[in-house]
Amino acid sequence: MRRARGRRTILFIDEIHRFNKAQQTLSPAVESGDIILIGATTENPSFEVNAPLLSGPRCRAEAALRSDTVTILRRALADREQGLGGLPINVTPEAVLGIARYANGDGRVALNLLEFAAASAPSVDGVAQVDAAFLKQSIERRALLYDKTGEEHYKPDFRPSQVHAQQRS
């Protein structure tokens, strides 16, 4: 396309780490300048992306911003339709920061942990209470339960759904 129109093509690949090494063989087109490749990944590119694609000044790692994760969490807590805004829940600012820190910039991890903590938090006067101490216990408990090769991997966890149903009634 560059040769026909005199312009380079920009190719954006989200989750480039999911491409196998053979699929990542875009190097000739990238090196020749025919393609400007922009790849996004949540994995460490040093291990998951072909070395030729990482070479030179073309690779730039962007650190995840904790403030963005905090914004996502606050929106989820306020959203009455798609988030937790309609539920009786109190999440302290320290717990929100703790979730953001634990998620390391991954919004999906942050939202899953928020939902897990909210669903399993102790209730005071009908309001679930998530603070930093409870969050720490939730993270430890969640890590202990996960066993990819064992029984826990295949057993569904209905606890969050049950707790949400109980809180709504």
Side-chain angles (χ1 to χ4, degrees):
M1 181 169 232
R2 177 182 179 188
R3 293 181 184 114
R5 293 191 180 149
R7 299 186 322 199
R8 295 187 289 178
T9 300
I10 297 174
L11 174 63
F12 175 78
I13 301 175
D14 190 17
E15 298 194 20
I16 195 168
H17 64 275
R18 294 192 185 275
F19 277 49
N20 65 37
K21 299 299 181 188
Q23 291 171 318
Q24 291 181 19
T25 56
L26 300 168
S27 297
V30 172
E31 288 177 10
S32 70
D34 289 335
I35 294 176
I36 297 172
L37 175 65
I38 301 172
T41 179
T42 56
E43 303 296 324
N44 183 338
S46 300
F47 298 113
E48 301 296 331
V49 178
N50 258 348
L53 291 179
L54 296 174
S55 66
R58 294 183 213 110
C59 181
R60 188 170 109 189
E62 294 286 335
L65 298 176
R66 190 169 296 147
S67 62
D68 290 343
T69 307
V70 169
T71 300
I72 290 169
L73 292 168
R74 286 183 180 150
R75 284 182 184 159
L77 286 167
D79 189 333
R80 294 175 99 39
E81 290 180 27
Q82 295 179 337
L84 301 174
L87 298 176
I89 181 171
N90 178 36
V91 181
T92 66
E94 294 81 16
V96 170
L97 288 173
I99 292 170
R101 192 176 310 112
Y102 177 81
N104 199 26
D106 189 331
R108 294 171 292 189
V109 170
L111 291 171
N112 285 335
L113 181 55
L114 175 64
E115 183 177 12
F116 178 80
S120 57
S123 182
V124 175
D125 295 328
V127 178
Q129 302 293 321
V130 179
D131 59 13
F134 176 75
L135 177 66
K136 184 176 185 231
Q137 291 173 351
S138 295
I139 291 169
E140 289 171 358
R141 184 173 14 153
R142 189 169 186 203
L144 289 174
L145 285 177
Y146 188 73
D147 175 16
K148 185 176 181 178
T149 59
E151 183 179 317
E152 293 297 327
H153 181 70
Y154 299 100
K155 184 172 29 172
D157 183 7
F158 296 108
R159 208 175 16 218
S161 302
Q162 290 170 341
V163 173
H164 279 297
Q166 289 171 356
Q167 288 178 343
R168 288 186 189 121
S169 59

